[in-house]
Structure formats: structure tokens, C-alpha cells
Amino acid sequence: MEITTVPELSVRIGSLTLRTPVTTGSGTFGFGSEVAEFVDLNKIGAVTVKATSREARAGNPPLRMVETPAGVLNAIGLQNGGIENYLAEKAPFLRRYSVPIIVNVPGENPEDFAYVVRRLTDSGAADAIELNISCPNVSHGLDFATDPRLTAEVVATCRRATHLPLIAKLSPNVADIRPIAKAAEEAGADGLSLINTVIGTSIDAKKRRFRLANITGGLSGPAIKPIALLHVYRAAQAVEIPIIGMGGIMTATDAVEFLLAGASAVAVGTASFVNPAVAIEISEGIAAYLKENGFATVGALVGAIEP
Ligand SMILES: Cc1cc2nc3c(=O)[nH]c(=O)nc-3n(C[C@H](O)[C@H](O)[C@H](O)COP(=O)(O)O)c2cc1C
């Protein structure tokens, strides 16, 4: 069946409307200015920017990135200039565009998260906030999303600090994502992002050493897509709130698989290093798939996997 009208690509995450269902994976698209020369930012569903913490962070020592078969292992460790630097130097550039901005926020405790959330809300420098409760690359227990109680604590504290849409970014490094997804929803999250990177390491047999100075890193890229698809499918069974699916999306077909698994939108991370315009190309590919298969809206595809 072929339909002649242009399919509706917009999706909603809480009160946020994305013009297309494709955003960028935090940490893989900088703050937009790094890529604006090559990509029309207004054609992306939303720009999700790099992690922005309360204080500036230097990140981990080098070496911080290693290629693996079908993936990348990174141990950047949330290097960033801090919230005041974001507000003064990064946000004004992105605000020249109409694209919604999702700011990724890490923290060492719930109050840390809430501080940045309040600053972003009061300054108007974000349209939605992604709580990074799942970074595997920092040494002092920032991986709140491996525990439903800690997940709920961070989300509830931030819920009290903002009216902006709150998206909890979850970790794949758990046996079962469902209780954690549910805990985030019950604590007031408007949406979930999953997955963050999969913890791993890399060893150089010749030198008999770990390749990453941090020893562990987070694996991303096509190698993690099957893991991501299963977590998205399971989380979508457990919650009503929308999910932004990510993990190894390189093509529109990959993105459609995430939508079928139950994601309402997708993010592309590692693929942007190869092609900064990939988020736009994937949106166009999703539109073509919808048309070819007789779907009038992206929403009609969400969770439409046959059992
Ligand atoms: C170099 C690099 C830096 C990243 N930095 C962040 C970050 O600051 N905050 C975050 O929540 N996720 C971060 N991520 C994770 C991605 O946003 C995404 O969840 C993950 O890479 C899976 O998607 P992908 O396979 O499409 O890259 C980073 C990933 C990479 C490769």
C-alpha cells in the first residue's frame, strides 16, 4: 500500500515537540557549534548536547578512546566546562536556531543534578533535560541507574526543581531494566533515553597493558545494537512514557527497528563521528519507510512489532 500524503514525523516527549523523531546522542555532537558548518541544525529533531555538570570537569587521562570491532570504547569521563560556561558560551549559539535543545546533566548526588536543572530552567537555556544517571566512565558511583531506588531519588529531586520535560537516561549494565524504567516513571520522568554505553575494556597483548588509562570504557556503535533493542523493548513493556532509543543506530532501517521495539524517537551517537549529517538522513529514511509501508505517522510504527 502506498499513501500519497507526506507522513507526520513529529513526536512528543512530555511537553516537548520534536519535528522529526531523531536527536543526537549526548557527547557525540558537541554543543552544535562544532558541526553547524556541515549540518542544518534546524532539520534535526532536537540537539542533545554534551554532559554539562555543576562544576567544570577535566575528564579522565588519555588514552580515552579505542576502536573495537564494530564499535568504539570511550572513557572521556564527562569532560566539560560546567553549567556557567554552558550558559555563557554554548547556549547562545544554539539559541540562534529553532531546534529544541536537550541538555544532558550528570551529577554526583541528587542535589548536584537539581542545581544544574534549576539553572537551566531559570535561564531558559534548555527545552528538555536528560538526566545522565548512567555514565559508566567515572570512578565514584555516578551509575545511579543500576538501582531503582537511586534512580527514583535523582528523578524526584529534579522533578521538584523544574517544569521542563525530564528524560532519565538509563544504563544497559543491568540484568533487568524494567524495575529501573518503572522507578523513573513513578518518580516523575516524562521520558526515558536508553541505552547509555555498555561497560567494557580493551587489552593490548603486545604491550601486555590495558589500552584505556581508565581501564574500563563505554562501548557504543553497531556492536551494541542487539543489547539496546532488547532493553528498549523491555522498557517499553514496563512504562507508558515515551522512550528515546539509541545504541548502534547507523541507518534508517536501524532506527525503524528501535521504533518497532517501542521507542517513540531515536538518537544517533557514534554514527555522527562518521557522518555529522546522519541524523537528517535517518529522518528522511524513516519518512520513506513510512510512505512505502502505508503508515501516516511515526506514532503508528511505535511498538508495532509482531509478536
Ligand atoms: C565519545 C562519546 C561520548 C559520550 N558522552 C556522553 C555524555 O556526555 N553523556 C551521555 O549521557 N552519554 C554519552 N555518550 C553515550 C551516547 O550518548 C549514547 O548513549 C551511546 O553512545 C549509544 O549510542 P551510539 O551507539 O549511537 O553511539 C557518549 C558516547 C560517546 C561515544
Side-chain angles (χ1 to χ4, degrees), residues 25-28 51 65 74 76 78 104 132 169 195-197 220-221 224 246-249 268-270 273:
S26 174
T28 63
M65 256 174 115
N74 95 82
I76 306 293
L78 303 177
N104 182 272
N132 181 2
K169 185 156 179 182
I195 57 175
N196 211 319
T197 52
S220 63
I224 69 170
M246 67 196 78
I249 297 176
V268 280
T270 303
F273 290 129

Side-chain angles (χ1 to χ4, degrees), residues 239-291:
V239 299
E240 302 288 326
I241 52 177
I243 294 173
I244 304 176
M246 67 196 78
I249 297 176
M250 306 298 281
T251 65
T253 306
D254 294 332
V256 166
E257 292 171 16
F258 277 80
L259 298 171
L260 290 171
S264 295
V266 296
V268 280
T270 303
S272 294
F273 290 129
V274 186
N275 171 11
V278 72
I280 298 170
E281 291 168 18
I282 287 177
S283 290
E284 291 165 355
I286 293 172
Y289 179 94
L290 291 172
K291 233 177 149 204

Side-chain angles (χ1 to χ4, degrees), residues 98-143:
S98 61
V99 67
I101 307 171
I102 303 176
V103 178
N104 182 272
V105 176
E108 296 189 15
N109 53 62
E111 206 23 65
D112 238 25
F113 281 93
Y115 177 88
V116 180
V117 167
R118 267 192 299 272
R119 287 293 287 131
L120 287 167
T121 307
D122 296 345
S123 60
D127 298 300
I129 293 166
E130 184 177 69
L131 298 172
N132 181 2
I133 52 174
S134 49
C135 182
N137 295 328
V138 277
S139 53
H140 36 81
L142 290 200
D143 210 346

Side-chain angles (χ1 to χ4, degrees), residues 20-278:
T20 83
V22 188
T23 183
T24 55
S26 174
T28 63
F29 206 70
F31 292 95
S33 55
E34 299 85 340
V35 284
E37 200 183 318
F38 314 105
V39 190
D40 181 354
L41 297 182
N42 287 336
K43 289 195 173 154
I44 300 177
V47 171
T48 304
V49 298
K50 199 171 159 37
T52 296
S53 48
R54 185 171 183 161
E55 308 295 343
R57 293 177 58 101
N60 291 321
L63 192 73
R64 311 198 291 188
M65 256 174 115
V66 178
E67 263 199 60
T68 67
V72 172
L73 202 53
N74 95 82
I76 306 293
L78 303 177
Q79 178 187 358
N80 77 96
I83 181 64
E84 296 311 322
N85 173 266
Y86 172 75
L87 295 178
E89 293 182 17
K90 312 291 187 196
F93 175 85
L94 264 179
R95 276 296 186 227
R96 305 209 309 245
Y97 296 83
S98 61
V99 67
I101 307 171
I102 303 176
V103 178
N104 182 272
V105 176
E108 296 189 15
N109 53 62
E111 206 23 65
D112 238 25
F113 281 93
Y115 177 88
V116 180
V117 167
R118 267 192 299 272
R119 287 293 287 131
L120 287 167
T121 307
D122 296 345
S123 60
D127 298 300
I129 293 166
E130 184 177 69
L131 298 172
N132 181 2
I133 52 174
S134 49
C135 182
N137 295 328
V138 277
S139 53
H140 36 81
L142 290 200
D143 210 346
F144 297 93
T146 55
D147 179 334
R149 198 179 50 81
L150 295 177
T151 297
E153 207 180 320
V154 175
V155 174
T157 307
C158 293
R159 184 69 288 164
R160 290 190 289 274
T162 190
H163 62 274
L164 290 174
L166 275 181
I167 301 160
K169 185 156 179 182
L170 302 189
S171 171
N173 304 309
V174 292
D176 187 352
I177 204 153
R178 286 168 284 201
I180 296 159
K182 196 88 202 128
E185 181 179 51
E186 284 171 2
D190 298 292
L192 303 175
S193 277
L194 55 134
I195 57 175
N196 211 319
T197 52
V198 178
I199 196 163
T201 193
S202 174
I203 290 176
D204 185 330
K206 233 189 240 166
K207 296 186 183 155
R208 292 186 289 282
R209 299 182 77 128
F210 288 105
R211 287 199 172 88
L212 294 169
N214 191 53
I215 300 183
T216 64
L219 186 62
S220 63
I224 69 170
K225 194 181 79 171
I227 299 169
L229 277 173
L230 182 61
H231 281 309
V232 166
Y233 175 68
R234 284 186 168 164
Q237 305 285 304
V239 299
E240 302 288 326
I241 52 177
I243 294 173
I244 304 176
M246 67 196 78
I249 297 176
M250 306 298 281
T251 65
T253 306
D254 294 332
V256 166
E257 292 171 16
F258 277 80
L259 298 171
L260 290 171
S264 295
V266 296
V268 280
T270 303
S272 294
F273 290 129
V274 186
N275 171 11
V278 72

